[in-house]
Amino acid sequence: MVRLLGPEDRYLSTIEAAHPKVDVHVRGNEVTLSGSAGEVAAVRRLIEELQLALRTGHDLGEAEVATSARMLAADSSVSPSAQLGAPILTARNKSIRAKSIGQKDYVDAIDDNTIVFGIGPAGTGKTYLAMAKAVRALQNKEVERIILTRPAVEAGERLGFLPGTLTDKIDPYLRPLYDALGEMLDPELIPKLLAAGTIEVAPLAYMRGRTLNASFVVLDEAQNTTPEQMKMFLTRLGFGSKMVITGDVTQIDLPAGTSGLKLVTRVLDGIDDIHFAYLTSADVVRHSLVGRIVDAYTEYDAQKQALRQETAEAREFATRGPQRTSASGRTPKRSSS
């Protein structure tokens, strides 16, 4: 019951938010539902699916509960516990698996395509799931090495001159990748794999001039690549390799110019064996506030874009009058006093 209701009954609150017309009462190991027959049946179905997920080894979270509720609301015949699938990776007593429909589609696309772009807001698990698939591929001997890379671009701040060796200077940019690795592998094993070159974590600039064979390559923060860098990276693809490129086009830190990730969605759209997976706030698996923050910024950006469009149209309309007068060769008559 504790695992079903969650810490401080958070999962219960998620269930109640998804079905506000049903009163849910919990006493001991008993759950009582009150409401209309249809609504009660829906909540009962949801609770039974969550129980099934727990019995089959799923680790529930607020995201899984909310996703299961949405899936059943859309189609009561589906089974969320079965839809979200088996774990991608089990490491350090933790199962890593897709926690939303969008994430499941993204993970399936990685299995079915050579190059996959995971595009979506922060907290949707784009890089984390890609790295889990990379570790799984290495463990299954599907690839010989993992290469993790990202552009070394400052996120707004001016960091200035960083002291230390070259490794010391670039490590802060790559730290999120090391952190994720630490959650998926034995910490004592990681230095050995890095030293042997089985796992490589490097800035994007280090990819130039290389051909990456038998590798699982993950490019993180791809929105901060230039078009030239994106082309350079994609053309590193070798035989027996797989590439996953992740990024959030709403968080571009480039000082100027076009994002390589934005451009590539137009250039490579429709090419076989290349897939673009788009994740949304519904796929956010961090704190529930993150999804609402993402939605708020998306709405703000849409309003700002609409205002810019309206201003541009007004400016264009204002310039049409003088242009038509000039084209006709006529000048307005002056009235005599």
Side-chain angles (χ1 to χ4, degrees):
M1 184 61 72
V2 173
R3 294 174 64 202
L4 177 66
L5 301 180
E8 300 178 354
D9 290 348
R10 289 177 192 166
Y11 308 163
L12 177 60
S13 298
T14 303
I15 295 171
E16 290 174 329
H19 295 276
K21 295 181 180 179
V22 175
D23 291 325
V24 184
H25 301 280
V26 179
R27 178 173 293 178
N29 287 332
E30 193 172 279
V31 179
T32 304
L33 308 176
S34 303
S36 66
E39 288 284 345
V40 166
V43 177
R44 175 172 180 153
R45 176 91 169 83
L46 172 58
I47 292 175
E48 288 173 345
E49 274 297 319
L50 296 177
Q51 288 178 309
L52 180 59
L54 288 171
R55 292 193 191 104
T56 53
H58 285 62
D59 295 319
L60 285 186
E62 291 178 71
E64 289 90 339
V65 176
T67 297
S68 298
R70 284 196 298 269
M71 291 175 70
L72 289 170
D75 184 355
S76 60
S77 65
V78 303
S79 173
S81 59
Q83 284 277 334
L84 297 181
I88 300 168
L89 183 70
T90 301
R92 306 182 68 182
N93 298 319
K94 179 182 178 182
S95 295
I96 300 173
R97 68 179 80 228
K99 296 183 178 182
S100 70
I101 300 172
Q103 287 190 353
K104 180 67 164 54
D105 293 342
Y106 172 52
V107 168
D108 289 344
I110 294 174
D111 289 333
D112 299 336
N113 297 273
T114 299
I115 298 177
V116 173
F117 291 84
I119 302 172
T124 51
K126 307 179 296 294
T127 305
Y128 195 76
L129 291 173
M131 291 180 64
K133 293 294 291 183
V135 171
R136 179 67 182 271
L138 182 66
Q139 291 177 342
N140 292 346
K141 301 188 184 305
E142 297 168 12
V143 296
E144 296 176 2
R145 59 181 173 166
I146 296 172
I147 298 175
L148 309 174
T149 183
R150 66 190 309 188
V153 177
E154 297 165 340
E157 305 94 334
R158 292 298 177 189
L159 301 181
F161 178 79
L162 294 173
T165 65
L166 181 59
T167 301
D168 295 331
K169 297 176 192 297
I170 62 177
D171 266 2
Y173 296 102
L174 305 174
R175 177 49 50 191
L177 302 179
Y178 285 113
D179 291 343
L181 272 180
E183 294 184 27
M184 298 177 190
L185 293 169
D186 186 339
E188 296 179 358
L189 183 62
I190 295 174
K192 298 176 183 177
L193 294 174
L194 290 169
T198 305
I199 295 179
E200 179 181 348
V201 184
L204 179 60
Y206 284 22
M207 298 298 108
R208 187 173 294 280
R210 303 174 61 183
T211 300
L212 307 176
N213 293 315
S215 303
F216 197 116
V217 192
V218 178
L219 169 59
D220 186 30
E221 298 289 340
Q223 75 276 5
N224 288 331
T225 62
T226 64
E228 295 76 16
Q229 286 175 320
M230 179 62 76
K231 179 182 176 182
M232 177 275 291
F233 172 76
L234 292 172
T235 53
R236 302 307 95 201
L237 180 68
F239 295 106
S241 290
K242 189 179 287 284
M243 284 183 167
V244 180
I245 299 94
T246 69
D248 177 2
V249 293
T250 68
Q251 296 196 45
I252 298 172
D253 300 312
L254 293 173
T258 305
S259 165
L261 183 59
K262 273 190 170 182
L263 180 64
V264 79
T265 59
R266 301 195 300 270
V267 174
L268 300 185
D269 185 37
I271 295 181
D272 189 43
D273 212 20
I274 296 178
H275 181 84
F276 290 91
Y278 293 94
L279 298 152
T280 69
S281 60
D283 303 302
V284 170
V285 293
R286 292 180 186 168
H287 193 286
S288 58
L289 269 178
V290 175
R292 281 178 270 170
I293 290 169
V294 168
D295 285 338
Y297 270 99
T298 300
E299 183 180 351
Y300 171 76
D301 290 338
Q303 290 174 350
K304 191 165 65 172
Q305 179 64 30
L307 181 61
R308 279 201 297 262
Q309 180 70 22
E310 188 177 313
T311 303
E313 290 175 355
R315 189 180 298 115
E316 181 182 355
F317 180 79
T319 59
R320 284 177 184 171
Q323 289 175 350
R324 285 198 298 268
T325 302
S326 175
S328 65
R330 299 175 183 174
T331 58
K333 292 183 179 179
R334 294 182 180 177
S335 59
S336 57
S337 56

